[in-house]
Amino acid sequence: MNRVLLVLVLLVLTACQQAQPPAEEGTLVTVHVIDNTRDQHPSVAAVAYQPGTGEWQMARTENYGEYFFYVPTGETRYAVAVNCLSGYLLQFYHLTLDETRSLSVYCQVPGSAAVGSMRALVKAGAGYDRITVFSDVEQVSDILTDDILVELSALQGQERDFAFAAYDGGTTPDEMTYLKLVRGVNLAPAADLGEVSFTAADAVSRSTVAGFSASVPSGYASAYKVRLLSAAGLGGLTLAAGDASGGQYVTLPNPVAGDLYAAQARASELSASSFREISQLKLIPATEAGAIAFELPSASFAPTATAEAFPEFKHLNTDAGDVLGYYLLSAPAGGAPTRANVSLVSSAWLAGSGADGYQTPDLRHLPGFDGTGLPSGESIWTAIVIYGNATAGELVAGPLLPAETDSSLFLNIPVSRLPGLELNQISVGAVMTIH
């Protein structure tokens, strides 16, 4: 058994051996740790909590992936820390009981998901010469001059969706001519769909993405994307991509209740040592969708951060309306994040602290949190103010969006599946050196 698996087992055994909680101990808060956003499969991690301004302590658990604690009577604020034992992400959530008493946290354990396979014979036809097939874990593309056998991996389980996109001349959204979703496939552990062909019912239509140049500051680069999120959780299929001049997006033939379009627009200004980005995310029910319009935020926001293993973020005040909270990120520079810190701090929690700043907690004294914190060397900090038509609690209550959709505040942090969600984000970041 390798070291990571041994730590996982020991944490579960230790937590399960704790005494059962008293019936009356305050307000119950539950934390659901999942290793796969597609089917919310449970996972394990080191989970701690802080009631109000009290001491940090370990959460309890009775079931795999399910953690809980109690907020004492009279206290409304709490914080949760989740250290993903894959070794690269330490997450903090600072919330109030009014916002949520249950949250979902994504903590992937490499190699834990059960993967199966799907095969289908895609039929050639008029109006397309290329094919891309999407599952919840990968996509396969090929030139289609004759019938072709397609095989790809997918997560095992019931109700899996697969998307078959046909293109003419290339594989951009503008060149898509047909789109078919094969829904509800039972992958246990494999499935053969037989022949898949495109008919007139699969021919795509398009709708407008309005230009948003008026809300892009001078000198900023702009971009937008529209992606499909099927009702059963399939994500990753790009339906449109462009810039602030606008364009069109592919609309899904025969949408069903629960299908969503994740529409995102952003504009950014980059330098060698800092950046600023403004962005907007919308989750639009596919059965109600029409023209998509973006209006990027313009509020003032000028945070700073200290160059420490557990940075302090300062000057989080902003004139934006309906601020629900902040995402505060620090990670080593140069490639995939290792030992990264990510905090979601709700406005209500921050108001209760009486401060306009936030100190990333140092929990290295607790079991399972040793080795956390930024290493010496160059790192990057990012502060994001978030405002829109949801609360911070709703963002994390679950079920979570698929992580691979990039519809998660551009930080690869999933948010809950909330039809009609509209979030504005202003991101500021810079390079720092940890000594």
Side-chain angles (χ1 to χ4, degrees), residues 228-229 252 255-256 258-261 284-290:
L228 172 66
L229 303 175
L252 177 64
V256 302
D259 290 336
L260 297 174
Y261 299 132
I284 304 168
T287 54
E288 305 170 11

Side-chain angles (χ1 to χ4, degrees), residues 115-118 154 156-157 186-191:
V115 178
S117 62
M118 181 278 292
Q156 291 187 29
N186 180 14
L187 209 69

